[in-house]
Amino acid sequence: MTTPTSLRSGRRVHTGRRLGQVIGRKPTGVTAGQWNTAANVVVDYLITDPDTDRPDFALLFTDTADTKVARMTTNVCDAVGLPLLRITSPTLTAAENGTQILGYILDARAFGADADFGGYRDIVGRLPDGRTGYVNDLSSVARATAVDAYAARQLFDPIIRGIRVHWTGGPAEGWAWVQLHEGGYVFERVQLAEHRTTCGVPADRLAEDLAGAAIGQRLKLRHSAQPDLVDLAHIEARLRELSTRREELVDGFPYEHLLVDQPAAR
């Protein structure tokens, strides 16, 4: 059975392949149970060399982190050396956001391979709202949406706040939140795991940008469906919990200022 393919940044993009089709047979060291489960996972995107069709990496979207299926899939990919990127978000999906995010990752990887200066995420240009800023910040459209909503008196605060961390030996993680009305916040959390490969930009920065983009997606849908909201105490509690695990983070917890008092966290 053939699967849809396309070309982007000089790489071939396949969609709809089961992991069992990609790998072919059970790898050595993988149990039958692990293989039977992982082999049926549909790979959202498989990136290959356009000439040899040799896999570069796979990209998966999940809505829940650290599930049994996710762990088995990672184990199988590790067993055959298949590089894997996994994005975990309750809001961002392959169907709605995959093409844009994959294109960003491929462009960032190509830029990093060819550039002698700077970085893909740090390119400055004109933003959608006319300001000058980082054009490869995937949350820039969301930030412009928030400003427009605030101007229309549909948002209590126009600023999307965020943090980013990287777990030692684990995924990068980005949070974003915006105050929809007094006492009510839209909150998003995105994890980005790199296994044997890179997304082309610092993973924690991309995770935070993706969390901001998820905020924008939920703001756009607020007229048809009221988003689930949390209060400030909820966000502060999660920040405090994160701060207690600072030794597990690559750069510690540099967000003490968000825990001082409520105004500082807004």
Side-chain angles (χ1 to χ4, degrees):
M1 182 181 67
T2 60
T3 57
T5 65
S6 60
L7 288 173
R8 177 69 185 258
S9 295
R11 315 314 290 167
R12 189 171 299 281
V13 179
H14 306 260
T15 60
R17 285 191 177 184
R18 291 185 299 103
L19 191 59
Q21 293 177 295
V22 176
I23 296 176
R25 62 181 180 179
K26 184 177 80 67
T28 301
V30 172
T31 68
Q34 289 175 328
W35 174 244
N36 290 337
T37 298
N40 288 310
V41 170
V42 176
V43 178
D44 293 309
Y45 298 98
L46 178 71
I47 314 307
T48 66
D49 182 280
D51 298 320
T52 66
D53 214 27
R54 180 181 177 84
D56 282 348
F57 68 95
L59 173 62
L60 292 176
F61 285 77
T62 60
D63 58 5
T64 305
D66 196 32
T67 65
K68 183 178 180 180
V69 173
R71 292 193 298 272
M72 289 184 176
T73 302
T74 300
N75 289 341
V76 169
C77 289
D78 282 344
V80 297
L82 174 63
L84 175 67
L85 294 173
R86 178 182 282 108
I87 294 172
T88 302
S89 166
T91 300
L92 303 177
T93 67
E96 293 293 328
N97 315 101
T99 299
Q100 179 191 22
I101 293 173
L102 175 65
Y104 181 99
I105 290 171
L106 290 175
D107 290 347
R109 287 165 59 99
F111 182 91
D114 298 334
D116 295 324
F117 62 92
Y120 185 76
R121 174 58 173 75
D122 295 321
I123 296 174
V124 175
R126 183 174 292 276
L127 298 176
D129 60 1
R131 296 181 298 111
T132 297
Y134 296 117
V135 295
N136 291 324
D137 172 1
L138 286 178
S139 68
S140 61
V141 172
R143 296 181 189 282
T145 298
V147 171
D148 290 343
Y150 177 75
R153 298 185 177 182
Q154 299 171 347
L155 204 61
F156 189 87
D157 185 342
I159 300 177
I160 297 177
R161 317 285 179 176
I163 66 167
R164 59 180 182 264
V165 297
H166 205 144
W167 296 96
T168 302
E173 187 167 318
W175 297 8
W177 61 92
V178 68
Q179 192 170 10
L180 184 61
H181 57 67
E182 189 169 6
Y185 293 76
V186 181
F187 176 84
E188 284 288 333
R189 172 177 176 254
V190 173
Q191 287 189 335
L192 172 57
E194 299 172 310
H195 298 281
R196 299 175 180 264
T197 189
T198 173
C199 58
V201 297
D204 58 341
R205 294 188 72 184
L206 181 53
E208 183 182 3
D209 290 348
L210 290 174
I215 291 284
Q217 185 165 310
R218 291 177 62 188
L219 289 179
K220 287 183 178 180
L221 296 174
R222 70 189 183 280
H223 298 300
S224 57
Q226 178 68 19
D228 294 333
L229 302 179
V230 300
D231 59 19
L232 185 59
H234 174 87
I235 298 173
E236 288 186 327
R238 297 189 68 162
L239 285 167
R240 292 185 189 283
E241 180 182 0
L242 191 63
S243 73
T244 65
R245 301 179 63 187
R246 68 184 69 228
E247 293 183 357
E248 301 174 50
L249 302 174
V250 174
D251 296 315
F253 181 78
Y255 302 105
E256 297 292 347
H257 59 287
L258 297 180
L259 301 175
V260 175
D261 52 36
Q262 290 190 0
R266 288 185 174 178

